[in-house]
Amino acid sequence: MKKQIAIPVILVALGVGGYFLFKNFGNSNNISTLFGNVDIREATLAFRVSGRVDVIMVDEGDFVSAGDVLALLDVEPLNNAAVAAEAALASTTARNALIHKGNRQEDIAQAKARVEAAQAALLNAEQQFDRLVGMLPSGVVSQDSMDNASAVRDQAAANLRAVEEIYNSLSVGFRSEEKAESDGLLKQAQANVDISRLAISDATLRAPSDGIILSRAIEKGAMIQAGSPAFSLSLTSPVWVRAYVEEPQLGYFNTGAKVLLYTDSRPNQPYSGTVGFISPTAEFTPKSVETADLRTALVYRIRIVVSDPDNMLRQGMPVTIKRAE
């Protein structure tokens, strides 16, 4: 009788123990497993200058490497602008050198000679006017002659003042303010040359990194504005997996943890990855999670860097994530 009672008790105990063992095993398996999606960065590429599209080198679906030429603009207008900027720079450079070096001694000597000539002319005009004044009482000189002599004297005096100012300016040289202004104009001219050369370089659109051309928005011969989208590039590196982890799982998927990434297309050949980022703040489970129990749960967003990506990983592809043993 005791044996008959003991057997059911043992069976019940084994059943209860098996239940809790299975439950704990299932929880452990859930803790060590995550679900996420492939997150591939995309870049919108555009020219930094306006112009007419001259050559298109790639099309949608093409693989490109960093530095590959994607498209070219017509550079003839840009070359003409560069020539004009370089000519302006040459003129400004010569003017700046003159200002800093000062006037030539030959120019100063010529200005001095003009002053001396103007002084002699004024002296002669004054003497002529004085003679006429002395003859005025005798009635020999008319009033018109006096007026003409006065005008010649005044003109000679004005001419002397003008050439004296030129001579003084050449002798003293340029003021510090004029030199500073010239230096500023020279820098501006050099900047214009640099801008024109950069514009020529920007007429060639290159791939910033390895990737796949997703879309092309330009056609040969079309006029485009600076910044208008030309291509959309899907970057092949880095490839990330975005997932969300609950607080109990943080110990399994801490920063630097090695993981295996399973996809439906390669169920027996997992990719390798490393947890590179864990969000410092919790957030609600994303809307893509439809389970009622998880819809209001707080989770932490993590980013896993794929170590060995290939062309089979596509944007948004679902991935199962497990800790690498």
Side-chain angles (χ1 to χ4, degrees):
M1 184 66 180
K2 291 181 179 180
K3 291 183 179 180
Q4 293 178 349
I5 296 176
I7 291 175
V9 172
I10 294 173
L11 292 176
V12 171
L14 289 175
V16 172
Y19 168 77
F20 282 107
L21 179 63
F22 175 78
K23 182 178 181 182
N24 291 336
F25 175 79
N27 290 341
S28 176
N29 185 59
N30 290 337
I31 287 177
S32 62
T33 302
L34 293 178
F35 300 94
N37 299 89
V38 175
D39 189 5
I40 299 177
R41 296 296 185 183
E42 296 180 8
T44 300
L45 309 182
F47 288 96
R48 292 201 299 184
V49 293
S50 303
R52 180 176 61 84
V53 179
D54 191 28
V55 179
I56 298 177
M57 307 291 290
V58 296
D59 208 340
E60 296 177 357
D62 289 346
F63 289 87
V64 296
S65 300
D68 285 353
V69 176
L70 306 181
L72 302 170
L73 297 180
D74 181 12
V75 296
E76 184 175 358
L78 302 177
N79 286 333
N80 294 337
V83 171
E86 290 171 354
L89 175 61
S91 175
T92 306
T93 301
R95 175 63 179 171
N96 182 261
L98 173 62
I99 289 178
H100 280 277
K101 187 176 181 180
N103 299 293
R104 298 182 303 170
Q105 294 300 319
E106 293 85 349
D107 295 335
I108 297 175
Q110 291 177 1
K112 184 178 181 181
R114 286 194 290 270
V115 170
E116 294 174 348
Q119 289 174 340
L122 177 58
L123 179 60
N124 182 59
E126 289 176 342
Q127 291 176 348
Q128 181 66 22
F129 179 78
D130 292 341
R131 283 196 296 269
L132 293 178
V133 170
M135 298 171 60
L136 187 60
S138 62
V140 177
V141 179
S142 64
Q143 186 62 42
D144 291 340
S145 298
M146 290 295 302
D147 292 340
N148 290 334
S150 176
V152 170
R153 182 194 60 181
D154 294 341
Q155 180 63 37
N159 182 60
L160 176 59
R161 289 192 298 270
V163 295
E164 283 179 340
E165 290 179 359
I166 295 174
Y167 172 71
N168 293 332
S169 177
L170 292 174
S171 300
V172 173
F174 296 93
R175 295 177 299 177
S176 59
E177 294 83 0
E178 292 174 316
K179 293 180 180 179
E181 180 187 19
S182 178
D183 291 341
L185 293 175
L186 179 61
K187 290 180 180 179
Q188 181 179 358
Q190 181 62 61
N192 290 336
V193 171
D194 295 339
I195 291 172
S196 64
R197 292 173 180 172
L198 181 60
I200 294 175
S201 175
D202 287 339
T204 300
L205 183 61
R206 298 180 181 273
S209 61
D210 299 348
I212 303 173
I213 300 297
L214 292 181
S215 62
R216 174 169 65 87
I218 58 174
E219 297 294 339
K220 182 177 180 180
M223 293 296 298
I224 61 173
Q225 298 296 320
S228 299
F231 298 95
S232 178
L233 180 67
S234 176
L235 308 182
T236 57
S237 179
V239 175
W240 298 332
V241 169
R242 185 185 301 271
Y244 294 86
V245 57
E246 296 182 17
E247 185 176 354
Q249 297 174 294
L250 288 176
Y252 286 85
F253 298 99
N254 53 316
T255 302
K258 302 296 182 181
V259 298
L260 297 177
L261 309 168
Y262 294 86
T263 61
D264 295 338
S265 59
R266 282 180 40 173
N268 298 321
Q269 294 180 326
Y271 297 91
S272 299
T274 303
V275 178
F277 167 80
I278 300 177
S279 175
T281 57
E283 56 187 281
F284 285 105
T285 303
K287 295 180 181 180
S288 58
V289 178
E290 299 297 339
T291 305
D293 294 337
L294 295 179
R295 196 170 298 160
T296 58
L298 287 175
V299 294
Y300 295 85
R301 177 169 52 90
I302 68 172
R303 185 176 65 196
I304 299 170
V305 180
V306 183
S307 305
D308 50 354
D310 58 20
N311 297 333
M312 297 183 66
L313 288 177
R314 301 291 179 174
Q315 177 73 29
M317 179 181 290
V319 176
T320 301
I321 307 158
K322 295 184 178 182
R323 268 295 296 262
E325 298 299 336

